[in-house]
Structures are given as structure tokens and as C-alpha cells.
Amino acid sequence: MHPAFSVIFLTTLIGVGQGMFLALFSGQTYSAVELLPTSNSARFYATGAFIALLFLVGGLIASFFHLGRPERAWRAASQWRTSWLSREVIVLPTLMMLVFVYALMHYFEWDTVLFTNAKGARLQLTLVVACFGMLATFALFICTGMIYACLKFLQEWHSPLTVINYTLLGTASGFALTTAFANLNAPELMRFYAIWTIIITSAGGITRAASLLRNAQLKPKSTLQTALGVRHTKIQQKSMGFMGGSVNTRDFAHHKTALFLKNIKWIFIVLAFVIPLLLLWLGMQRRDTGILLAAFIVQYIGLLFERWFFFAQANHPQNLYYQTV
Amino acid sequence: MTQLALVIDLNVCVGCHACVTSCKEWNTSGPAGFMTDENPYGKDPTGTFFNRVQTYEFGEFPNTETLHFPKSCLHCEDPPCVPVCPTGASYKRKEDGIVLVDYDKCIGCRYCSWACPYGVREIDEKQRVMKKCTLCVDRLYDETLPVSERKPACVLACPTSARLYGDVHDPDSEVSVAIRESGGYQLMPEWGTQPANHYLPRRKTRKQIHEDELVRADNPLKKEQRGPSKPISEPTLDDSTSW
């Protein structure tokens, strides 16, 4: 497939936003049951949630560049019964609204404690909102992943690993940003986030490697024989029916060499997993915001490469019909 | 249930592209608006087409065969492009099974073109909506046209009648008979899309001649006990005279 930058930015940016919100949610949950020290609500949770919201908005803006008719985008919410894309269109604004409400409640400290149990664990109003936000976040990861995973003849995508990777990689990048952010605003939480970022990034590395291995062993179901219905081992295309390009030659191929693709694969493995893990470890030891921020930036760039590769690697069966001018 | 469709006879198609040009001519002048052509006379021409004729060759020289292969939307009975559409612009008509795009609802997200394994959906670069073969739905029910012309433009244009049109659910229709009796098949059956359009394979008419058929078994001379005369070794008058 042709990797469209609008979709690459959409999926990576909302991934960071969702991951960061999940990080804030888990931080607050841990402190609610007093496993973590409570941090300054307005400075940490409100600012953090606003940053997450900025990433979500950035992703939404990027998605509009993919549309031919963005002015009609509202129509995309109508087919939620059948279309994962439509479901994503509903869940993304819902999540944005919840994150916004969550940020606002923390900023104005509308944070009534609903109840406290005997051991001191307390349920705050913001945590209730965050719970709904958490559900929306996971729903959004599933929608985004399923948009690709539900297309059965794009065999590289048609796997549960697609959804798992979207979830883990998005969460990892969001946690990485939260780690750097926590080092500035709530240093007592930094270690907690750094360790979770390392765990999630490693898990994402394993599942992404699993999907790379799976895709390397795929055997295409469609062949030129089934595409044409001609039973012969030697079939050559002599003409695709036109001499210029068409949507079929532009939208479904990456137009790069196999070597280029292979290089991108190694670049994303190093940038999205190896270097961020090293930088996180180093940043955690030295408590250095610069290094932790670098870990996030390197990982985000790595994820851009990863997403490019994700699209480029998928081989659409229609390409069987477009092999030569 | 009616399912209108095309049956394309690859045995007859000569690859003249008359279906391509007539399709473009009819549909670019239709109520849905033009079909964009960019740089039609320039260096990199590109444009929207509902129908293309491709050419393949199979076999190894000198035993090769040319296959001209027209491809347009196959109007699948289980179209994978329809459920993925987020706006409902892509739909399959209940009454005649034609898969259509509502150009006023389409947001041009291209998701349906990803979901079509045949690559028959094309985004129109100017109108920025997804387009595809409509089976000339604006001809089929047009009562101002003579009944014989209420067919897709490509079918009317085909000089060799390689394109048949009709209801593939009606077992006695011309298309069903052709599919049944001439080995009609579907493209990429492995995805379960059940394309309504079928293709008829290239077929050869061969005559089987057995060796005993080469010798005349019922020679009347044999019956009269007179065998044919033996070949003559000396020169005869026939060799020198032209009579």
C-alpha cells in the first residue's frame, strides 16, 4: 500500500495522546490506593491531560488531510454498525471530550472524594471520569487497529497482532512522553512511569517482532492464476490498459525498492525500541528531563518509520493486475 | 432476487478498448458529472475510468496465447467495499444488486478502495469522491431509450459481442446459460466476495481424428475385388505431355 502521511501522523499522534492519558489514569489510580505519592493535581494531571488532548487534536487534524471531502466528515459517524472507521470517528471525539473534561476538572480542582475506605483508599470524581476515558482509549485502539485488521485480503494486516501493536506502541509512546513530563512536574512519579514505559516498549517490541515474523512467512492467497482464472504457470502481463498512471498504480504501491523497505524496517526497530529503551534507562538513572524527552522524540520518529513500513509492507491483491505498463 | 451483471467472453474479446471508450463517453456526460482527465495530452496522463482492458500472455514462445482481459466493478453479491464505508455512500441496491456510490455522501476516504481486492474503485482527483462502474444504471431503466438500448454502454459497443448483460439469478437468462454451458467463472473466488460478473474462459474447438479414419475403409474397388493399380516405375506419357 502507499503510505499516506496523513494516516501515519493520525495513528501515531492519537497513539501518543491515548498513551499519555492512560499513563495519567494509571498514575492517579496508583495514588488513589496510595501506592504512589499524590501529586499536584492542577500542575500535573491538568497540564498532562491538556498535552494528551493536543496530540489527539493533532491526529484529528492530520486525518482531515486524508479525506477528499473533509467538509462532509460528519457523515462518517453514521455507519457504526458495520464500519470500524465509522466507529473510530465516533470514539475519537468522545475520548477528546472526556480528556478535556478530565483536564478541566483537575485544573479547577473539582475533585470531590466520593468515598474513602477504611485503609485510606479514596475514589475521586476525576477518577470516575478517567475510568470512562480509559474505556474510550482502549475502544479507540481497537477501532484503529481493526480498521486495518478487518481487511481480510490484506493478509499482512489481517491478524490480532495489528490491534495489539497499535495498542502497545501507542501506549509506549504516551508513557514515554509522560515520563519526561513527570520528571519536570512530579519527579516522585518519574521512576514509576519510566519503568512502565520500559515494560510496555519491550512488550511492544516483542509483539511487533512477532508480526514481522508472521508476515515474513505469509503466502499470498491470490495469484495471477486466480485473478485471471487462467490455469497456466507462466503468465505475463503485457499491458495494464493505459500508459500513464492511475489510482491503481499510485495508491496501492510504495514505489520503493525491497532494500529500501528492509532499511526502514531496521531503522524503526532501532529508533522505536532499542535507543528509547537505552535512553529511558539512562534518563531514569540520571533523572535528566533532556534524555527522557529525547527518548520520547526518538521513539516517536521511530514509530513514524514503523507506521510507514506497516503500510508499505501490505501487499494488496489488486497489484496483481498492475505489473507492467 | 435480481442480480444484474456482465458476463465477459474472453474467447471472443479482441482487446479493441471499444468498451473502455464507450463507457467513458457515456459516463463522463452523465448526470453524475464528468470523469476527470488530467494531462490527457501531456507527459503523465491520468484519469478516471470505470473499465479497463488489460492484456496478458501465457505460455512460452512459440506456444503463447494472448488474453485480453476487460475489468470493471464485478458487483459482488457480498461486496467487501460496502460494510467498510463510514458514511453509507457505498451501497448495494436490493432491487437489482448493482453496487453504487452516492457521490453526494462520499467523503473520499479511500477505505472502500482498500477493501476491494479487484482494484476497481478509483478516486476522482477533481471531484474527490470514489467512483466505479454503475452498470450504466442511468441507461437500464430509461424509458426514453428503445428497449434494445437499455443496456450498459460497453455491452452495446462491443463489436464481437464478448460482453453479455443480464440477470445472473434467473437460470434461463442468456448470462446464466452462458455461465452454465460455457464454463463461466468468478475472479479471486478465494475471498468469498461472490462477484456477480463472470468470465467465460478461452476455449478451443478441436476435432479428434483417429488413424483408421485417414484410410478409406469403404473403398468400392475393394468390393469388386479390384485393388488399385500399383505405382508404375517407368516414365509414362503423363510425365512429358500437358495434353
Side-chain angles (χ1 to χ4, degrees):
Chain A
M1 301 294 291
H2 169 72
F5 276 99
S6 48
V7 184
I8 292 177
F9 278 107
L10 159 70
T11 54
T12 50
L13 286 173
I14 61 171
V16 176
Q18 287 165 269
M20 187 154 187
F21 181 74
L22 278 187
L24 297 176
F25 168 76
S26 24
Q28 203 187 347
T29 314
Y30 272 65
S31 37
V33 292
E34 298 199 322
L35 287 169
L36 276 180
T38 315
S39 32
N40 184 323
S41 178
R43 256 178 67 192
F44 184 70
Y45 291 114
T47 325
F50 268 119
I51 294 173
L53 188 61
L54 282 182
F55 276 92
L56 293 173
V57 172
L60 186 66
I61 292 171
S63 75
F64 277 94
F65 287 94
H66 187 67
L67 300 183
R69 294 272 185 174
E71 73 276 12
R72 298 177 185 165
W74 59 273
R75 285 185 181 277
S78 67
Q79 300 301 306
W80 52 272
R81 285 183 194 83
T82 59
S83 169
W84 283 103
L85 180 54
S86 186
R87 289 169 198 162
E88 187 188 39
V89 167
I90 295 170
V91 177
L92 178 57
T94 310
L95 174 64
M96 286 164 69
M97 199 192 67
L98 286 168
V99 175
F100 180 70
V101 169
Y102 177 79
L104 224 55
M105 286 172 75
H106 269 299
Y107 185 77
F108 292 112
E109 297 183 2
W110 298 331
D111 207 6
T112 329
V113 176
L114 296 177
F115 72 81
T116 316
N117 79 354
K119 287 180 181 169
R122 54 198 188 283
L123 181 70
Q124 296 142 303
L125 196 58
T126 48
L127 203 55
V128 177
V129 176
C131 271
F132 285 109
M134 180 268 291
L135 291 177
T137 306
F138 279 112
L140 184 55
F141 274 132
I142 291 169
C143 289
T144 314
M146 279 309 288
I147 286 175
Y148 306 101
C150 76
L151 301 172
K152 60 184 168 189
F153 32 78
L154 281 158
Q155 288 169 274
E156 287 83 353
W157 296 350
H158 186 56
S159 147
L161 282 172
T162 304
V163 180
I164 294 170
N165 284 332
Y166 269 91
T167 309
L168 286 178
L169 300 184
T171 311
S173 58
F175 266 74
L177 180 59
T178 316
T179 310
F181 176 68
N183 199 40
L184 271 182
N185 293 299
E188 68 279 7
L189 297 182
M190 187 277 285
R191 224 182 141 71
F192 164 76
Y193 284 126
I195 289 170
W196 270 113
T197 312
I198 289 171
I199 293 171
I200 299 166
T201 304
S202 312
I206 291 166
T207 54
R208 191 66 181 94
S211 78
L212 285 178
L213 282 177
R214 172 188 177 271
N215 291 351
Q217 290 162 357
L218 278 182
K219 190 169 166 282
K221 262 193 182 179
S222 285
T223 59
L224 205 45
Q225 282 75 22
T226 67
L228 301 177
V230 173
R231 193 175 176 84
H232 202 294
T233 46
K234 286 211 164 62
I235 308 177
Q236 264 189 314
Q237 186 164 31
K238 292 290 175 185
S239 151
M240 60 170 80
F242 48 87
M243 292 171 79
S246 81
V247 174
N248 301 92
T249 59
R250 287 189 296 270
D251 263 20
F252 297 92
H254 50 79
H255 301 292
K256 298 281 191 286
T257 60
L259 182 69
F260 185 90
L261 209 63
K262 206 175 162 190
N263 285 340
I264 297 288
K265 181 175 80 183
W266 285 107
I267 289 173
F268 92 67
I269 289 173
V270 171
L271 289 187
F273 302 106
V274 181
I275 298 182
L277 285 176
L278 293 174
L279 287 176
L280 277 166
W281 185 255
L282 195 69
M284 188 170 72
Q285 300 302 329
R286 296 204 185 162
R287 301 195 152 270
D288 186 326
T289 312
I291 296 176
L292 291 171
L293 197 61
F296 163 71
I297 293 169
V298 170
Q299 186 173 46
Y300 182 74
I301 294 169
L303 288 182
L304 292 178
F305 280 97
E306 188 272 336
R307 227 31 64 84
W308 189 95
F309 183 84
F310 171 80
F311 286 105
Q313 197 191 25
N315 193 15
H316 199 287
Q318 78 103 37
N319 289 340
L320 290 168
Y321 296 110
Y322 297 91
Q323 301 186 344
T324 185
V325 176
Chain B
M1 277 292 285
T2 309
Q3 172 66 64
L4 298 179
L6 297 173
V7 169
I8 296 165
D9 192 345
L10 299 177
N11 201 38
V12 186
C13 177
V14 290
C16 70
H17 289 247
C19 53
V20 180
T21 50
S22 63
C23 164
K24 180 97 172 187
E25 187 272 332
W26 174 259
N27 285 296
T28 203
S29 344
F34 60 93
M35 288 158 75
T36 302
D37 271 321
E38 301 223 73
N39 308 318
Y41 307 106
K43 188 167 155 257
D44 288 312
T46 177
T48 311
F49 283 82
F50 294 169
N51 182 27
R52 312 257 194 194
V53 179
Q54 307 187 317
T55 303
Y56 297 84
E57 187 180 87
F58 55 92
E60 221 169 335
F61 181 81
N63 297 317
T64 54
E65 268 186 56
T66 305
L67 178 83
H68 297 294
F69 184 80
K71 177 166 70 80
S72 55
C73 172
L74 305 170
H75 299 282
C76 299
E77 304 208 23
D78 186 8
C81 54
V82 169
V84 300
C85 176
T87 65
S90 210
Y91 63 104
K92 184 172 176 71
R93 282 163 46 119
K94 281 216 171 64
E95 61 270 35
D96 53 16
I98 301 178
V99 178
L100 287 177
V101 180
D102 184 337
Y103 300 143
D104 293 330
K105 279 189 187 167
C106 176
I107 55 171
C109 70
R110 297 163 187 244
Y111 192 31
C112 57
S113 74
W114 295 8
C116 170
Y118 307 102
V120 292
R121 292 179 155 253
E122 302 192 10
I123 191 123
D124 189 297
E125 304 283 0
K126 281 266 163 58
Q127 294 184 10
R128 292 168 291 134
V129 292
M130 196 53 79
K131 293 194 169 179
K132 61 178 277 301
C133 162
T134 63
L135 212 64
C136 285
V137 69
D138 48 346
R139 291 187 68 94
L140 306 182
Y141 303 101
D142 186 350
E143 291 184 0
T144 62
L145 290 174
V147 179
S148 63
E149 286 180 26
R150 290 180 204 163
K151 287 178 173 182
C154 57
V155 174
L156 294 173
C158 181
T160 60
S161 304
R163 302 174 78 91
L164 311 175
Y165 156 77
D167 176 11
V168 288
H169 280 184
D170 171 7
D172 298 321
S173 66
E174 185 192 12
V175 281
S176 290
V177 171
I179 295 168
R180 195 164 63 234
E181 297 182 354
S182 306
Y185 63 87
Q186 297 170 320
L187 302 185
M188 294 189 190
E190 61 273 22
W191 300 120
T193 53
Q194 291 176 275
N197 282 14
H198 283 67
Y199 286 78
L200 304 183
R202 285 179 59 73
R203 328 183 263 294
K204 294 237 169 100
T205 313
R206 286 203 175 85
K207 190 165 190 234
Q208 190 109 31
I209 299 177
H210 294 283
E211 209 161 323
D212 60 335
E213 289 176 85
L214 291 170
V215 183
R216 201 171 158 188
D218 54 346
N219 193 333
L221 293 177
K222 231 181 201 171
K223 284 210 163 143
E224 293 169 23
Q225 309 272 311
R226 283 168 54 202
S229 54
K230 285 184 182 131
I232 299 162
S233 52
E234 307 93 70
T236 65
L237 203 58
D238 290 345
D239 298 326
S240 50
T241 331
S242 65
W243 298 97

